[in-house]
Amino acid sequence: MIFRLLSNIIKQGFQGFKRNRSMGTVSIISISIVLLMLGIVLILVLSINKLVMDANQKMDQIDVFIEDSLDIPDIEKMADDINSINGIKSVRFKSKNEGLKELKSRWGENAWLLDDYEDANPIPNSFIINVDNIEDADRIANELSNMNGIWKVNFFADEIKQMVNISNYIKIGGLIMVVFLTLISIFLISNTIRLAVNSRQTEISIMKWVGATNGYIRGPFIVEGILMGLVGAIISFLVVAFGYKYFYGQVMVEITDFLKGALVAPSDFYFDMGIIFATLGIGIGALGSLISLKRFLKV
């Protein structure tokens, strides 16, 4: 009995979906646009986050140069003080001789120009510090700058701030846009369902007279809204999936290695994006139907 009722509700929902396809098409397009924008935002956020994570591995280093007047006990105490700062992963002391050797290595065949500095090495002793989280680098650098005996603190402050800020702006702006477009989609679906309800008032009244329950009457309209949302989700997913796959394949042969590392691979998010799109599409469709039924279906 229950199975037959569900079967009838679903059947009537499909019939209503076909009958109202003109208005339903507008609702489907609006849902597709919402999810398309969401997909673009997701790709941007994932790519920015990937870039930040890669930068966290490559630019999580803070170079702390110390004054030449410090002796070994002072340097050891400074190392202990640095290790006590929250958020520091590792601390390594680099002597001025080691710094000069690294500089010669970078200069290659021109390293002989630095031979005169063997006895009067101008490179200061330093600590190489790695942080746990790149977002804490600015705070840690400020704490290091206030310590006695520190001559200079170097790290990629501006680059780190810009990447983190861009990621946050995209998240906030994308969320606002998606919420706004979602409300528009719910409104359009509500209007579509309302028109369907108005056109079937006589039929609904007869169904009430013969004992049909509110749930049985509402069911087909909810199924109709869900179908709109699901179709919109499928369309948007296909557009995003194939569009980004084409874009990814084209730009990977034309951009630098650094930017290649920033782009998230299509296979890394297809499954999750499909689940998100389907859930949101069905949710928007169902919610639009429920709102319309609550306001306009007097049963």
Side-chain angles (χ1 to χ4, degrees):
M1 181 68 177
I2 295 178
F3 177 78
R4 186 170 62 189
L5 288 175
L6 289 175
S7 177
N8 288 335
I9 289 173
I10 295 173
K11 181 179 179 181
Q12 292 178 38
F14 274 90
Q15 291 174 348
F17 179 73
K18 294 178 181 179
R19 186 164 49 241
N20 299 300
R21 57 180 176 270
S22 58
M23 278 297 297
T25 300
V26 177
S27 300
I28 289 171
I29 292 174
S30 67
I31 294 175
S32 298
I33 293 174
V34 170
L35 297 179
L36 180 62
M37 295 300 301
L38 176 61
I40 294 173
V41 171
L42 284 176
I43 292 173
L44 288 174
V45 171
L46 288 173
S47 296
I48 294 291
N49 286 344
K50 186 173 183 293
L51 183 60
V52 171
M53 289 179 64
D54 290 343
N56 196 14
Q57 297 175 352
K58 299 175 183 177
M59 297 194 298
D60 64 346
Q61 179 176 300
I62 300 176
D63 297 326
V64 177
F65 300 99
I66 61 179
E67 297 175 357
D68 287 337
S69 60
L70 297 181
D71 55 20
I72 293 178
D74 292 332
I75 293 175
E76 291 176 348
K77 183 180 184 305
M78 181 177 288
D80 293 335
D81 293 338
I82 292 174
N83 272 309
S84 66
I85 297 176
N86 185 37
I88 287 183
K89 183 192 301 181
S90 64
V91 179
R92 183 176 70 86
F93 176 74
K94 183 168 72 173
S95 68
K96 56 170 51 187
N97 291 331
E98 183 181 351
L100 183 60
K101 289 180 181 179
E102 289 185 359
L103 185 58
K104 283 186 173 183
S105 177
R106 289 197 297 268
W107 280 33
E109 60 182 16
N110 295 320
W112 62 271
L113 295 171
L114 300 172
D115 290 342
D116 292 339
Y117 294 101
E118 291 286 352
D119 297 327
N121 188 348
I123 298 176
N125 294 320
S126 63
F127 286 104
I128 308 301
I129 299 172
N130 294 96
V131 299
D132 288 321
N133 193 325
I134 198 169
E135 296 184 11
D136 294 330
D138 195 26
R139 171 186 60 80
I140 294 173
N142 287 332
E143 292 188 38
L144 292 168
S145 298
N146 294 326
M147 293 176 60
N148 293 326
I150 299 294
W151 171 60
K152 188 177 182 181
V153 176
N154 278 347
F155 81 111
F156 296 94
D158 294 336
E159 291 81 357
I160 292 170
K161 288 180 181 178
Q162 288 175 6
M163 286 188 294
V164 173
N165 288 338
I166 289 173
S167 179
N168 291 333
Y169 289 148
I170 290 176
K171 290 177 184 177
I172 295 172
L175 179 62
I176 293 174
M177 184 179 299
V178 168
V179 169
F180 176 72
L181 293 175
T182 298
L183 293 176
I184 293 177
S185 298
I186 292 174
F187 173 76
L188 291 173
I189 290 176
S190 298
N191 284 340
T192 302
I193 299 299
R194 183 188 64 178
L195 292 174
V197 170
N198 290 337
S199 66
R200 296 175 59 188
Q201 282 291 351
T202 302
E203 178 186 345
I204 291 172
S205 298
I206 294 174
M207 293 173 66
K208 285 294 294 181
W209 278 108
V210 298
T213 64
N214 290 346
Y216 182 79
I217 296 174
R218 290 187 175 99
F221 297 106
I222 295 175
V223 171
E224 187 176 339
I226 290 175
L227 286 173
M228 293 179 193
L230 187 58
V231 172
I234 293 173
I235 292 173
S236 58
F237 176 81
L238 292 175
V239 171
V240 173
F242 286 104
Y244 184 69
K245 183 178 181 180
Y246 174 79
F247 170 80
Y248 185 84
Q250 291 295 313
V251 300
M252 286 299 284
V253 299
E254 300 178 1
I255 61 176
T256 63
D257 291 337
F258 178 75
L259 292 178
K260 286 179 181 178
L263 289 177
V264 59
S267 58
D268 290 344
F269 66 89
Y270 275 173
F271 178 79
D272 292 337
M273 188 177 68
I275 297 297
I276 293 172
F277 276 25
T279 302
L280 288 178
I282 291 173
I284 291 172
L287 183 60
S289 299
L290 290 173
I291 291 175
S292 179
L293 291 169
K294 183 178 180 180
R295 293 179 57 190
F296 300 104
L297 186 56
K298 308 298 183 181
V299 292

